[in-house]
Amino acid sequence: MGKALDGVRVLDMTHVQSGPSATQMLAWLGADVIKLETPKGGDITRSQLRDIPDVDSLYFTMLNCNKRSVTVNMKSEDGQEIFSRLVARSDVLVENFGPGVVDRFGFSWERLQEINPGLIYASIKGFGPGKYFDFKAYEIIAQAMGGAMATTGFEDGPPTATGAQIGDSGTGIHLVAAILAALLQRTNTGRGQRVEVAMQAAVLNLCRVKLRDQQRLSHGPLHEYPNEHFGDEVPRAGNASGGGQPGWAVRTKGDGPNDYLYVIIQPAVWAPLARLIGRPDLAEHPDWDSPEDRLPKLDKVFALIEDWSQRHSKFEAMEALNSINVPCGPVLGTKELIEDQNLTELGTIVSVEHPERGSFKTVGSPLRLSDSPVDIERPPLLGEHTQQICMELGYSPEEVEQFRSAGVV
């Protein structure tokens, strides 16, 4: 059985996280992803945050599975010729350099179109065109400028970054959607096109419910939030769901930092929930019966639940609450997740064998296609496929060896 993107070749000029997360997902879907790297060092994350000396870091290996690596010195004439041949034989070029870097190599969008009119040129930038376009952006900068930090944390605390990499990998996922759309459009038009996603815009897209609430503020306080005071912008609201159904993280049995359970109270579950936590008197009490009655005293509601939950482990509490259809989920730490047998059986966490570091664990593909199963393959060593790829481009083994001697590859 083939893969969804069999026959699609992606020239991957990305580095660090945002771009590699996108191209790895394309590789999981079956694209032939050729990672273009510099002969000396390659992707900077190969050497960043190393846990084993002189071995590609987990930072690199967990973002570059299922790819091939070719090294090319883009500053040399022969290197630019190799690059031109790669462009001519690729469907998609992906890069996340600073603005203008690829142009300075001598390959403007106009030049790339001359080489390959069907090429989809996909870019990740920190910001869209405008006053910030040339500014540098990193994960937390994108969170700061996309609305995430201002709305994360507790009311009396500072703006807080989320542990989820919504600026980098979140932008990468947006870019995958854009690339797939451009590939589909090309089947109708035969033409390539520019595709660009800004990190600030991607984070803002993920924060749209906060922009919803910003506009609701003009009609009064946000009663779904636990905050006592409201100014002219959406406040930080701790662990409140901020949605149509109230939720909060309650402590469970144990002294661990993650011994918490997140509980959401839907109107239909209040009566059985009240009985479960030992307060049947509140199940149909006129002062507690309706969501409107409970909204002003959500702190008391969750305190009552916490009195009960602290007598149970988070998994015991989850089982009990699910038996009466109360939506909930335990706070799972990174150790629990990486050791979770169920996630391993599902392929959500996978083990990969690496020729230098041995076995390591990484995240499996979150995309499930019935006719395009995903096998996670190890990431490439630096330049591992240089000769193979150059020969596919029409170069002889002798020419490749000459390129190596001259520092071209």
Side-chain angles (χ1 to χ4, degrees):
M1 185 180 296
K3 301 291 184 70
L5 295 182
D6 274 350
V8 174
R9 173 170 284 180
V10 177
L11 182 53
D12 180 4
M13 297 182 73
T14 68
H15 57 288
V16 192
Q17 182 181 168
S18 62
S21 68
T23 52
Q24 178 173 253
M25 196 162 289
L26 295 172
W28 285 342
L29 292 171
D32 176 19
V33 176
I34 297 175
K35 187 172 181 69
L36 186 75
E37 301 184 76
T38 58
K40 294 183 179 180
D43 188 323
I44 192 173
T45 59
R46 286 185 182 270
S47 59
Q48 280 187 337
L49 305 178
R50 275 182 170 151
D51 55 320
I52 302 175
D54 302 320
V55 173
D56 287 340
S57 72
L58 287 167
Y59 196 177
F60 175 85
T61 61
M62 294 178 70
L63 285 162
N64 290 281
C65 289
N66 295 62
K67 303 179 185 180
R68 297 194 288 164
S69 172
V70 60
T71 55
V72 178
N73 181 356
M74 290 288 290
K75 295 180 180 178
S76 69
E77 187 174 329
D78 286 328
Q80 293 195 354
E81 173 58 28
I82 293 172
F83 179 72
S84 295
R85 293 194 189 190
L86 282 167
V87 169
R89 291 163 174 80
S90 296
D91 298 284
V92 184
L93 184 156
V94 188
E95 59 90 13
N96 63 336
F97 292 115
V101 171
V102 179
D103 291 56
R104 290 195 291 275
F105 285 141
F107 292 92
S108 64
W109 169 230
E110 291 73 24
R111 173 67 181 131
L112 292 170
Q113 282 183 301
E114 290 175 3
I115 299 171
N116 183 352
L119 183 71
I120 293 159
Y121 179 13
S123 303
I124 288 177
K125 296 291 177 271
F127 309 96
K131 62 181 180 179
Y132 301 134
F133 185 66
D134 292 324
F135 288 21
K136 292 182 178 180
Y138 285 82
E139 167 67 41
I140 310 301
I141 293 173
Q143 289 192 31
M145 297 186 67
M149 285 187 73
T151 54
T152 302
F154 286 83
E155 186 174 20
D156 55 353
T160 305
T162 174
Q165 304 292 284
I166 60 175
D168 278 327
S169 288
T171 304
I173 293 169
H174 281 78
L175 190 71
V176 168
I179 289 170
L180 295 179
L183 283 169
L184 181 61
Q185 186 172 11
R186 193 181 66 175
T187 63
N188 297 322
T189 66
R191 297 176 55 226
Q193 62 180 294
R194 288 295 305 264
V195 171
E196 190 167 288
V197 178
M199 294 170 70
Q200 182 186 33
V203 172
L204 189 58
N205 183 45
L206 297 174
C207 292
R208 67 173 62 211
V209 296
K210 299 302 181 182
L211 292 189
R212 172 202 69 191
D213 292 344
Q214 177 63 40
Q215 296 171 88
R216 291 174 60 225
L217 265 177
S218 63
H219 302 288
L222 305 173
H223 297 295
E224 299 81 11
Y225 283 60
N227 306 63
E228 293 184 9
H229 307 288
F230 289 88
D232 59 358
E233 60 185 0
V234 176
R236 291 184 279 281
N239 289 318
S241 71
Q245 314 298 335
W248 198 256
V250 296
R251 180 164 279 286
T252 57
K253 186 177 181 179
D255 297 320
N258 296 314
D259 284 321
Y260 286 86
L261 184 76
Y262 197 85
V263 181
I264 291 178
I265 305 174
Q266 297 172 318
V269 304
W270 172 248
L273 176 60
R275 288 190 284 270
L276 175 69
I277 65 175
R279 293 302 304 269
D281 56 305
L282 300 180
E284 297 176 358
H285 193 286
D287 293 336
W288 293 75
D289 186 43
S290 72
E292 292 74 24
D293 295 325
R294 294 189 298 273
L295 208 53
K297 43 180 175 280
L298 285 178
D299 55 341
K300 296 182 178 65
V301 170
F302 287 107
L304 289 170
I305 297 173
E306 192 168 69
D307 286 342
W308 168 83
S309 64
Q310 285 185 299
R311 301 195 294 272
H312 307 275
S313 74
K314 59 188 178 184
F315 295 104
E316 292 169 344
M318 177 178 66
E319 293 283 350
L321 289 170
N322 270 279
S323 71
I324 58 171
N325 295 317
V326 175
C328 64
V331 175
L332 298 179
T334 50
K335 185 174 187 295
E336 291 173 302
L337 288 167
I338 207 166
E339 295 176 355
D340 190 298
Q341 188 60 35
N342 185 56
L343 293 179
T344 298
E345 291 171 357
L346 291 171
T348 305
I349 298 290
V350 298
S351 294
V352 177
E353 292 296 327
H354 189 274
E356 294 182 346
R357 70 163 37 254
S359 179
F360 70 92
K361 290 188 176 183
T362 189
V363 178
S365 174
L367 308 179
R368 304 281 174 149
L369 284 71
S370 62
D371 285 355
S372 185
V374 177
D375 299 311
I376 306 299
E377 300 172 3
R378 71 167 179 86
L381 302 176
L382 179 61
E384 180 177 352
H385 304 95
T386 296
Q387 178 158 327
Q388 178 189 69
I389 291 168
C390 283
M391 290 178 66
E392 290 173 5
L393 298 176
Y395 295 103
S396 68
E398 293 74 22
E399 287 176 303
V400 177
E401 190 54 42
Q402 291 175 2
F403 289 153
R404 287 192 195 280
S405 299
V408 174
V409 298

